[in-house]
Amino acid sequence: MLNRSRRLRTSAAMRNLVAETELRPQHLIQPHFVQPQKGTSEIGSLPGINRAGIKETVKQVEKDLKGGLRSVMLFGVPDADAKSPDASYCCDHEGVIPQAVKALKKAFGADLIVMTDVCLCGYTSHGHCGLVDEEGIIQNDQTLPILAEMALRHAEAGADVVAPSDMMDGRVAAIRALLEQNGYTQTSILSYAIKHAGAYYGPFRDAADSSPKFGDRKTYQMDPRNAREGLRDALLDYEEGADILMVKPALPNLDLIYRLRQATLAPISAYHVSSEFSSVKAADRLGWLDGDQLMFQHLLAIRRAGADMIVSYAGREAVEKGWIS
Ligand SMILES: [Zn+2]
């Protein structure tokens, strides 16, 4: 036979020689749920992931850095009594995220990339990502200055990257303008450019205590039936000043990661979300499959589709268990 594809699969060394996709610790972004209280508390539906106080977060990041995980995404989990209809705590100079960013940058400086989630849902008493009027309608334009101020607080504290995940129209432009006005010209924006509504975020909402108290998020998050809509929005975010474009969730949207890769020169991030992670963990516990191998293949597929970086709850174990180095 002239063509025998198996020649290039004969040994691990040969397979490594022709491997097309690389997954290294620097491609992964580890999420953290940061609470104002000291100590840690487990999140039942996200095995191995904790809510943690600022000190404990710094300690965990120190360990992760030794394994090569150089980027974190911080989500604030404020006390229930700090939540309000207008999410005012998210703009507090002494809020949990500005404090956590300062502590991390003080400890690790330029060795660590600190990214922060910018969205109101963890801070509003109603659990929506924007302000809500008396009829329960999400108020797009009134939400923008609050998101921009929240992002500015994170930039002032030293965040390298702010990551708006709210899905209001025009938020990247609003954030970029306020950052520029205040001299934060070097702060990057990672926009959740393509974010579908749906069932993939359940364990995250447990972790961040951010479920909407009424209605759903379908008037701001995208319809999972659509692809062109996402590409259009992603390109708009880039025009508004985003530096990195996110696709979320990752595995159900490998087509979109691939198509966005063709459509833009910007770096692409994918979010391997809570349900993607937790469903592997649950099936592994039942003994139905090899969770470690499956999780690793998830991450490889996301990279192969065209993601430069992946936010994943599996980042730490990928390094600790030696799947990647
Ligand atoms: Zn939100």
Side-chain angles (χ1 to χ4, degrees), residues 21-25 27-28 296 299-300 303 310 323-325:
T21 306
E22 199 179 29
L23 180 65
R24 305 291 301 273
H27 299 131
L28 298 172
F296 182 56
L299 300 177
L300 269 185
R303 283 276 296 154
I310 308 171
W323 307 343
I324 58 172
S325 58

Side-chain angles (χ1 to χ4, degrees), residues 29-30 32 34 57-58 61 65 69-75 97-117 154-155 157-163 186-190:
I29 301 162
Q30 182 70 37
H32 289 265
V34 192
T57 302
V58 172
V61 170
L65 266 173
L69 287 177
R70 302 218 158 273
S71 304
V72 296
M73 178 73 81
L74 305 183
F75 296 92
I97 291 299
Q99 283 194 51
V101 173
K102 280 180 211 162
L104 287 167
K105 290 313 278 187
K106 190 173 168 216
F108 310 114
D111 288 340
L112 181 73
I113 304 292
V114 177
M115 307 184 176
T116 57
D117 182 65
H154 298 175
D160 301 285
V161 181
V162 293
Q186 299 303 302
T187 308
S188 293
I189 299 177
L190 185 164

Side-chain angles (χ1 to χ4, degrees), residues 21-47:
T21 306
E22 199 179 29
L23 180 65
R24 305 291 301 273
Q26 66 261 33
H27 299 131
L28 298 172
I29 301 162
Q30 182 70 37
H32 289 265
F33 297 98
V34 192
Q35 61 186 21
Q37 311 91 305
K38 290 182 182 140
T40 60
S41 59
E42 284 183 12
I43 304 156
S45 53
L46 277 175

Side-chain angles (χ1 to χ4, degrees), residues 162-188:
V162 293
S165 62
D166 54 284
M167 300 303 287
M168 298 300 122
D169 291 326
R171 87 268 207 226
V172 173
I175 291 169
R176 179 57 77 209
L178 195 66
L179 290 178
E180 288 283 317
Q181 277 166 32
N182 286 276
Y184 292 95
T185 56
Q186 299 303 302
T187 308
S188 293

Side-chain angles (χ1 to χ4, degrees), residues 117-122 127-130 165-167 195 204 210 217 220-221:
D117 182 65
V118 174
C119 189
L120 305 194
C121 56
H128 276 289
C129 303
S165 62
D166 54 284
M167 300 303 287
K195 180 176 179 181
F204 173 90
S210 62
R217 296 192 165 140
Y220 43 107
Q221 296 180 354

